[in-house]
Amino acid sequence: MKKVQFIEQAEHSECGLACVAMILNHAGAQVRIQELRDKYGVPRGGYKLTDLKNMMEEFQVTTAAIKVSAEAVGDLKTPFIAFWNQKHYIVVERTKKQKILICDPATGRRWIDQQEFREKFSQIGLIVKEVGETSRFVSERKTNFLVSFLLKKFKKPLLLLCGLTMILQLFSLAVPITIQKLIDNTSFLNEFSIGAFTLSVIIVGLSYYALQTFRGLIVAMFQKSFDYELMTHFMGNMLRLPLSFFINRSTGELIFRSNLSVYIKQILTQKVVLLFVDSLFLIFYIGLMFYYSSVLTTISLMIAAVIVFVSVVNTKRIKNFVDLELIEQAKVQKSITEIIEGIETVKTTGTEKNFFDSWKENFQKQIFITQEKERFQSKFGTIPQTLQFLMPLFLLCTGLSLVGQNQVTLGTLVAFISLSGSFLNPVMSLSGVYNDMVILKSYFTKLEEVIHYPVHTSNCKEVELDSFREISLKGVEYSYSKYDKPVISQIDLQVKKGEKVAIVGPSGSGKSTVLKLLAGLIHPTKGAVYFNKIKLDDVSENTKNEKIATISQSPMVFNMSVKDNITLNKPFDYGNKEDCKKMEGVLEDSDVLSIVRHLPLGIETMVSEQGANLSGGQRQKIALARNLYRDPELHLLDEPTSALDNISERHIMKTLFKKDTTVVVIAHRLQTIKNIDRIIVMNEGEIVGDGSHDYLMKTNVYYRNLYTEEQKMEGVS
Ligand SMILES: Nc1ncnc2c1ncn2[C@@H]1O[C@H](COP(=O)(O)OP(=O)(O)OP(=O)(O)O)[C@@H](O)[C@H]1O
């Protein structure tokens, strides 16, 4: 029966997508989860069963959703998607009388018993009815990144490494030949003189030492540059990824992935080079062994075949353990990151024990799997080692009888045993390396998602623009996933140079989404955003960075000085009058002056990680100062003063609106934007009002309601 290729979910809400990918691949449509993610997106709450059905239909795999009891699943055609625990999807791969093999995208492939199945199965399944021809869709494969990366950047050191390893192998080949000559041919030593022989041994020993040292140095150099290149590639790519990539992904999981390069480089340098060289040398060894004795060679080859067989069988199981281990390790990393990031909430809610227990549960699972892996390795991984240990004894027994029959000389037997030891080393390392290659693949798939994630690029040449004249949204719609209702729709909005526009509306009405679209952080699913009548996607990053400055709802302050947080590491010269004047203006306008006045080192005072030594309002002021320092032509501000007191808020808004730059601001207090020229009112993803406060109060029921509600809350009649 064809096995289901297990696919792990990368985000908490993509279990459905992973199950679809597993079923589609099983049906013959080679599709990766990343490709489905790009095509359908990932809704925050996950997919409905009908969405999964529709997706598979697009690949010509017809399915049917059925209600079925846990007892009756044995009659269903496998694999199928099962609704699990009322909140999750898994694939049921096989059913036996007492056991069921499941592929859970969150925890891996495992056999479970009937009782667990009965407890967790939510009695709904999606079974495959028919597989059409066109499902044999083969997506365009990227060339193997690792191979092309290695060949492009490390061809020379790798060749050098292979060359050196080959020379070192030749040394080990020379030893048995010499032993045979010494034992069988006593005149051999006379031909040479003891002194000359000893000298040759010393020279050979020194050369071996020099070569080993040189090889070690090359390995160290290769590891350093491989680590550097892979990580810079990973980080470079990660920073270029669109915001949508990070929206539903866990920080801990991403950190965990970035750390995998350490293992990859170790496996690559210590094992893969050996694999290449060893496989070349096996042919030499076998040839020489045959030359010495075909009977003994046959015995050695049989033992080697058993070793390879056992190792390959073991490897499959070990790969399973490694996949599970990686999933659990990532979970542990995720929970640690979450606890550290949310330590304030953990403390204020008094939930230290709950978080500790949840971390402990994950950690226990992780170490349990590691222990299972180690136990398996000690039970079965040692079979090849035992055979390796026994082989010289087998050879000695058979060899001695051959010596008795004068078929081989004693010297040949001793040389053969030494040679077979050297022959078995590559066999052992080959099977070990196969193991490592399989593990390497598991590690690498985790990095690959970041490395291969498509970066949003424009088809046209990017346009540089001198100045900002207007920004507009035309017929814009945005949804987080294909089957989700759009969170905003039919948005037409034009903001001209110099305008001050406020966006207001109830929570969840789509204000931040509009702002993110204007900033180019996300891309419309329908319609387009225009900057000076040019599609925003076609405008160069340079222009966007220069002309637009955005503040998100929870701006980040970094672990650097207040000054560096404002300049974001751009050069700032205290000796330069203009730099100082600009900074003074910014500090005054953003009211950061009131903060730094009380700090011991002024603007050189260090801010803790994530601004932990500042108040929420102080962090907002610094973020505003950062925007002002950039001196953009368009400010996009998402509730930039929500944590500020009324006085600071009024001061900041007043200075912002006084400037001749264009400002689009989402406001949570209507009082502060009452006097602005233009207010956009949003409700349920649509623009329902556009005009001045007075105009909207007269004509717009949504705005009037918002305003009067606020007035009531503030106790003004
Ligand atoms: N990552 C996400 N995945 C799916 N839906 C999302 C995601 N982020 C936001 N939404 C949904 O999009 C809709 C609009 O959200 P948005 O943040 O734009 O509203 P908002 O008006 O700015 O709200 P608030 O005033 O509370 O900030 C909401 O219904 C929200 O639940």
Side-chain angles (χ1 to χ4, degrees):
M1 187 185 255
K2 195 173 151 198
K3 242 181 123 180
V4 171
Q5 183 201 334
F6 172 71
I7 294 175
E8 187 197 343
Q9 67 186 77
E11 300 165 17
H12 55 87
S13 51
E14 69 175 29
C15 54
L17 224 49
C19 288
V20 167
M22 285 191 250
I23 298 285
L24 287 179
N25 277 302
H26 189 266
Q30 295 180 18
V31 63
R32 298 200 224 192
I33 188 163
Q34 291 97 301
E35 288 156 350
L36 293 180
R37 198 185 294 128
D38 295 343
K39 194 163 179 205
Y40 301 104
V42 185
R44 209 169 19 175
Y47 280 106
K48 295 195 286 292
L49 203 69
T50 45
D51 300 336
L52 306 186
K53 186 172 159 49
N54 292 340
M55 269 178 223
M56 290 201 269
E57 240 139 62
E58 283 190 37
F59 287 89
Q60 308 302 317
V61 175
T62 316
T63 54
I66 52 159
K67 192 152 179 40
V68 59
S69 69
E71 288 72 23
V73 287
D75 304 330
L76 296 182
K77 192 175 138 215
T78 51
F80 66 88
I81 297 179
F83 191 42
W84 205 236
N85 267 334
Q86 304 289 350
K87 59 178 182 195
H88 185 54
Y89 296 109
I90 60 148
V91 169
V92 173
E93 183 174 346
R94 266 166 74 191
T95 52
K96 282 191 184 170
K97 254 197 171 148
Q98 293 304 326
K99 288 193 168 255
I100 289 132
L101 180 60
I102 62 163
C103 290
D104 182 337
T107 57
R109 172 188 272 115
R110 67 198 155 99
W111 284 97
I112 57 169
D113 57 28
Q114 275 287 354
Q115 196 196 338
E116 185 180 348
F117 189 79
R118 262 197 307 276
E119 278 167 18
K120 295 187 176 160
F121 179 50
S122 308
Q123 308 209 336
I124 293 174
L126 193 62
I127 52 164
V128 176
K129 282 282 204 201
E130 211 184 313
V131 179
E133 262 315 296
T134 44
S135 77
R136 272 152 239 292
F137 153 93
V138 178
S139 60
E140 193 194 316
R141 292 268 158 252
K142 304 246 167 37
T143 47
N144 187 322
F145 168 78
L146 193 55
V147 174
S148 51
F149 179 72
L150 282 171
L151 290 182
K152 206 164 106 199
K153 308 238 173 193
F154 300 102
K155 212 168 174 178
K156 270 194 197 150
L158 277 176
L159 281 177
L160 192 59
L161 218 53
C162 287
L164 282 171
T165 316
M166 269 189 187
I167 300 173
L168 286 167
Q169 292 279 29
L170 279 177
F171 276 83
S172 10
L173 218 58
V175 174
I177 297 174
T178 318
I179 292 175
Q180 193 249 335
K181 290 261 183 273
L182 284 175
I183 296 181
D184 285 347
N185 188 359
T186 37
S187 61
F188 185 71
L189 267 185
N190 300 339
E191 282 166 26
F192 255 102
S193 94
I194 288 274
F197 183 73
T198 318
L199 189 66
S200 331
V201 170
I202 293 172
I203 292 173
V204 169
L206 285 177
S207 322
Y208 186 80
Y209 170 77
L211 282 169
Q212 279 285 21
T213 314
F214 188 42
R215 186 178 179 276
L217 293 176
I218 302 266
V219 167
M221 190 192 80
F222 171 76
Q223 285 195 340
K224 188 196 112 218
S225 24
F226 176 79
D227 208 7
Y228 175 77
E229 292 286 345
L230 186 65
M231 278 315 290
T232 43
H233 194 82
F234 177 86
M235 285 303 290
N237 233 49
M238 196 164 87
L239 284 170
R240 284 192 302 131
L241 291 182
L243 187 69
S244 52
F245 175 87
F246 299 90
I247 284 178
N248 284 331
R249 272 182 178 76
S250 122
T251 320
E253 158 98 31
L254 286 174
I255 295 175
F256 174 70
R257 284 181 197 207
S258 66
N259 289 338
L260 288 177
S261 83
V262 177
Y263 302 106
I264 296 178
K265 85 175 170 197
Q266 270 169 6
I267 296 181
L268 267 179
T269 46
Q270 289 167 7
K271 312 283 177 67
V272 178
V273 170
L274 265 185
L275 171 85
F276 180 70
V277 176
D278 283 351
S279 43
L280 281 181
F281 266 80
L282 270 183
I283 304 161
F284 282 109
Y285 282 123
I286 296 173
L288 195 61
M289 280 159 67
F290 253 109
Y291 168 74
Y292 282 146
S293 161
S294 55
V295 179
L296 295 179
T297 309
T298 313
I299 296 176
S300 310
L301 284 179
M302 275 161 49
I303 295 176
V306 177
I307 291 179
V308 171
F309 175 75
V310 173
S311 304
V312 170
V313 173
N314 282 353
T315 301
K316 289 203 170 140
R317 188 90 178 88
I318 287 177
K319 158 112 177 40
N320 237 344
F321 280 122
V322 171
D323 283 340
L324 289 179
E325 204 180 17
L326 281 177
I327 292 175
E328 295 305 330
Q329 279 173 346
K331 275 197 204 158
V332 171
Q333 173 84 55
K334 254 192 258 178
S335 64
I336 295 176
T337 317
E338 225 165 39
I339 291 173
I340 295 175
E341 279 181 352
I343 193 71
E344 203 174 313
T345 315
V346 174
K347 294 232 162 266
T348 49
T349 49
T351 44
E352 288 97 330
K353 186 169 178 318
N354 308 27
F355 277 92
F356 175 73
D357 288 346
S358 133
W359 166 83
K360 199 166 81 181
E361 195 186 315
N362 287 332
F363 189 58
Q364 272 170 340
K365 271 193 211 153
Q366 182 208 312
I367 51 177
F368 174 74
I369 289 170
T370 310
Q371 187 199 21
E372 286 292 291
K373 186 182 84 183
E374 301 294 333
R375 273 167 59 168
F376 179 84
Q377 269 176 330
S378 359
K379 269 195 241 157
F380 300 100
T382 39
I383 297 178
Q385 282 162 12
T386 315
L387 287 171
Q388 188 187 22
F389 166 75
L390 286 176
M391 193 162 97
L393 299 178
F394 282 134
L395 290 176
L396 193 65
C397 292
T398 325
L400 283 177
S401 71
L402 292 177
V403 172
Q405 292 161 26
N406 277 337
Q407 285 189 25
V408 289
T409 62
L410 195 59
T412 308
L413 176 62
V414 177
F416 190 95
I417 291 176
S418 155
L419 193 62
S420 69
S422 307
F423 155 76
L424 218 52
N425 279 339
V427 172
M428 294 286 285
S429 74
L430 270 180
S431 39
V433 169
Y434 171 68
N435 200 354
D436 287 322
M437 292 295 279
V438 173
I439 295 173
L440 181 72
K441 191 163 173 256
S442 294
Y443 286 160
F444 203 72
T445 349
K446 294 232 155 222
L447 280 192
E448 235 182 350
E449 203 215 339
V450 173
I451 287 168
H452 280 163
Y453 196 89
V455 177
H456 201 93
T457 46
S458 152
N459 295 331
C460 311
K461 209 167 165 275
E462 292 201 323
V463 186
E464 296 277 348
L465 295 166
D466 292 341
S467 66
F468 164 76
R469 287 196 304 280
E470 63 166 57
I471 192 155
S472 55
L473 301 177
K474 288 207 177 127
V476 165
E477 186 178 294
Y478 185 78
S479 45
Y480 281 93
S481 80
K482 195 173 169 187
Y483 297 112
D484 256 3
K485 191 173 164 273
V487 291
I488 58 160
S489 52
Q490 295 163 8
I491 300 285
D492 287 298
L493 173 69
Q494 189 183 37
V495 178
K496 291 215 154 62
K497 185 179 170 136
E499 266 192 296
K500 316 284 183 253
V501 180
I503 307 181
V504 301
S507 190
S509 55
K511 305 181 294 290
S512 302
T513 309
V514 166
L515 208 81
K516 281 183 199 150
L517 284 160
L518 287 171
L521 290 172
I522 52 176
H523 305 273
T525 19
K526 251 196 209 159
V529 187
Y530 295 89
F531 186 98
N532 292 2
K533 303 215 185 309
I534 294 168
K535 271 196 175 173
L536 189 61
D537 282 350
D538 300 338
V539 176
S540 73
E541 284 302 311
N542 232 356
T543 306
K544 281 190 254 182
N545 288 337
E546 217 176 84
K547 310 284 173 216
I548 310 176
T550 312
I551 296 189
S552 65
Q553 231 171 50
S554 32
M556 178 79 178
V557 281
F558 300 96
N559 182 207
M560 41 174 99
S561 70
V562 173
K563 183 203 84 202
D564 289 342
N565 259 296
I566 294 173
T567 60
L568 281 187
N569 291 331
K570 278 200 198 111
F572 175 85
D573 181 7
Y574 280 107
N576 183 324
K577 273 194 185 145
E578 257 177 49
D579 276 6
C580 292
K581 205 167 153 227
K582 186 174 169 187
M583 181 58 85
E584 273 165 29
V586 164
L587 295 178
E588 167 73 31
D589 290 348
S590 60
D591 203 27
V592 172
L593 204 58
S594 65
I595 312 170
V596 291
R597 217 178 262 140
H598 305 290
L599 294 177
L601 297 177
I603 56 168
E604 286 300 341
T605 308
M606 283 300 281
V607 173
S608 313
E609 210 173 311
Q610 297 192 24
N613 57 351
L614 294 174
S615 73
Q618 288 172 330
R619 286 198 287 268
Q620 277 193 334
K621 286 182 186 175
I622 291 178
L624 259 161
R626 185 186 292 157
N627 255 35
L628 292 170
Y629 190 79
R630 284 175 60 194
D631 201 13
E633 292 188 42
L634 170 64
H635 277 284
L636 299 173
L637 314 169
D638 194 347
E639 305 200 6
T641 54
S642 57
L644 298 189
D645 59 275
N646 285 348
I647 299 171
S648 307
E649 183 175 34
R650 241 171 253 155
H651 164 77
I652 288 171
M653 286 297 191
K654 222 163 113 191
T655 39
L656 254 179
F657 294 152
K658 239 179 23 208
K659 290 183 179 295
D660 52 9
T661 45
T662 316
V663 180
V664 180
V665 59
I666 296 180
H668 71 296
R669 259 177 261 162
L670 302 190
Q671 272 299 331
T672 48
I673 48 99
K674 211 171 113 180
N675 298 322
I676 206 169
D677 327 327
R678 192 172 164 204
I679 300 167
I680 308 284
V681 190
M682 290 201 65
N683 192 51
E684 294 190 359
E686 286 180 23
I687 294 182
V688 290
D690 186 347
S692 67
H693 169 77
D694 293 340
Y695 171 76
L696 289 171
M697 281 303 277
K698 275 187 223 137
T699 59
N700 194 289
V701 63
Y702 295 101
Y703 184 76
R704 215 169 28 239
N705 285 348
L706 279 176
Y707 190 75
T708 37
E709 275 303 310
E710 185 179 299
Q711 295 285 294
K712 268 193 220 153
M713 299 279 283
E714 289 184 4
V716 182
S717 60

